[in-house]
Amino acid sequence: LTEKLPILKKIEVTRHTNTHCKCKNGWTWEVTFFDASSGIGPLITNGIALEGRGAGITTSEVVSPTNMLRGFFTLLNPFTSMSSRNISFAASAKEMKSIIEQDLAIRVQSVRAGNLDHRDIAELGRRWIITYSSYNGPYGEDANVPNLKANGTFLSGANSKVWAYVEIEGKSPLQGSLAFSFRRSNYSSYIPFDASAEIIKQALESLESINEVEVSTRQSLPIHHGFTWAITFYSVNVWTDYGWMLDPGATSSSGNIPALELNSRLIGWRSKAFIESVKGYGDGDTQSQWMLKEMGDDGHQAGEVVVYRKVHGGWTTEYYLNAKD
C-alpha cells in the first residue's frame, strides 16, 4: 500500500481470518493510519483478479473515525476561585488574552499561540505562552501571579489533556503592611512594611498590653531584601479578672514575656515576616549572664545563690540557694 499509495504515509496493517465467510482461505485486513492530518476515507477495493468459485472482496468501511483533538477547556485562578468561560482547543492568542483578563482578573502583557506539530495543525496539539503583568491580590497589586489550573474534562481525542506550568517565575519587590498583637491583645493598626522605628513604637504602645518599648533604627537586609528591628520592652500589662493591669518586670510570667504575634499582609516574591525572641531563663536563656540584677527582681528559676558568713576577717560559705534553671 505504501509503495503504491505514498499519500497514505505511515500505516499499520494487520490480517485476521474471516470468520463471517463460509469459505476457506478468507481474510480481513485492518489498516490503521498514524497520520490522519489530511483526512481519511474508505479505500476503494477491486477483486477482479481473485480466483476461485465465488471469490470476491467486499467494500472497505471505516471502523473508527479520526480521533484528533476537539472540544474545550477552562482555567481556574486558585487564589480567587474564579473560573474562565469555555476555551476552544484552537483558541487564538487574542482570545486567550481576553479570557484571562476578563474572567480571571489577571493583567496579561502578551500571549503567543502556536501549534505543536510541524505541519501547524491545531488538532495535533496547541500551546500558549503567556507573559503576565500583575493581578489584584487581597493586599493590593501583585506581580506574583498565581499558577492557573486547567480543566480538560471536555476535551476529546486520543490521550487528550491540558496543563499549565510556570516557566519563569515573576519576582515583584517587597510591599505590603504588618500588624502586631501582644499577650493576645487586639491587633494594632497596619503599618508599612518599611516603617520607621518611631512608627513601630507607636503601633506597639497603642496595644492595651504594652506601655513602653524601645525600637532600634531600621536595618536593611541586603541578601533577603527586607528589614529588621530590635524591640526592648520596658513596661507591659497582664490581663486579669479586672482587665489589663500593670505587670512590673513581667513577674506574672517569671520575668519572661511571650513573643509578639504578627499578622502579615506582605506582597512580593516569597515574602514572609517572622518574630525572633530571647528569654531570661531556661533553655532559651541568652541574657542572665550579663543582665544587671536589682533588689526586688523576681528570683524564680534564676539559678544559684551562695550565702557567705564572715569569720575572723574572712568569708566562709554558709549555704546555697538552688533553683532549676
Side-chain angles (χ1 to χ4, degrees), residues 87 93 130 176 183 188 195 220 261 281 292 316:
I87 306 173
I130 305 168
R183 285 183 166 176
S188 68
S220 298
E261 296 176 9
Y281 71 85
L292 178 65
T316 61

Side-chain angles (χ1 to χ4, degrees), residues 56-122:
I57 185 170
T58 60
T59 57
S60 65
E61 61 181 31
V62 176
V63 177
S64 177
T66 305
N67 197 13
M68 301 177 75
L69 185 60
R70 293 287 189 275
F72 60 87
F73 62 95
T74 59
L75 294 174
L76 173 72
N77 181 340
F79 285 11
T80 62
S81 297
M82 299 173 68
S83 183
S84 74
R85 71 195 84 166
N86 294 338
I87 306 173
S88 168
F89 75 96
S92 67
K94 183 178 180 181
E95 290 171 332
M96 182 65 74
K97 183 177 187 296
S98 176
I99 290 172
I100 293 176
E101 290 187 329
Q102 294 177 14
D103 297 1
L104 305 181
I106 299 176
R107 284 176 283 279
V108 177
Q109 182 175 322
S110 65
V111 177
R112 289 182 292 157
N115 299 320
L116 299 179
D117 188 81
H118 69 277
R119 289 156 296 184
D120 199 30
I121 300 172

Side-chain angles (χ1 to χ4, degrees), residues 131-149:
T131 302
Y132 298 99
S133 297
S134 62
Y135 85 109
N136 290 327
Y139 309 131
E141 185 175 357
D142 193 347
N144 297 283
V145 175
N147 186 14
L148 300 181
K149 295 183 178 180

Side-chain angles (χ1 to χ4, degrees), residues 138-180:
Y139 309 131
E141 185 175 357
D142 193 347
N144 297 283
V145 175
N147 186 14
L148 300 181
K149 295 183 178 180
N151 181 0
T153 303
F154 298 101
L155 288 175
S156 60
N159 301 317
S160 61
K161 60 182 176 180
V162 60
W163 70 95
Y165 72 96
V166 176
E167 183 173 345
I168 300 176
E169 190 173 2
K171 298 181 180 180
S172 64
L174 184 61
Q175 304 173 67
S177 56
L178 305 167
F180 302 97

Side-chain angles (χ1 to χ4, degrees), residues 15-16 18 43-44 60-61 64 74 83 85 96 128 131 143 154 176 179 187 196 212 220 233 274 282 306:
R15 189 184 73 167
H16 309 279
N18 190 339
L43 297 173
I44 298 174
S60 65
E61 61 181 31
S64 177
T74 59
S83 183
R85 71 195 84 166
M96 182 65 74
W128 297 267
T131 302
F154 298 101
Y187 275 90
S196 66
E212 184 182 1
S220 298
F233 293 80
F274 55 91
V306 182

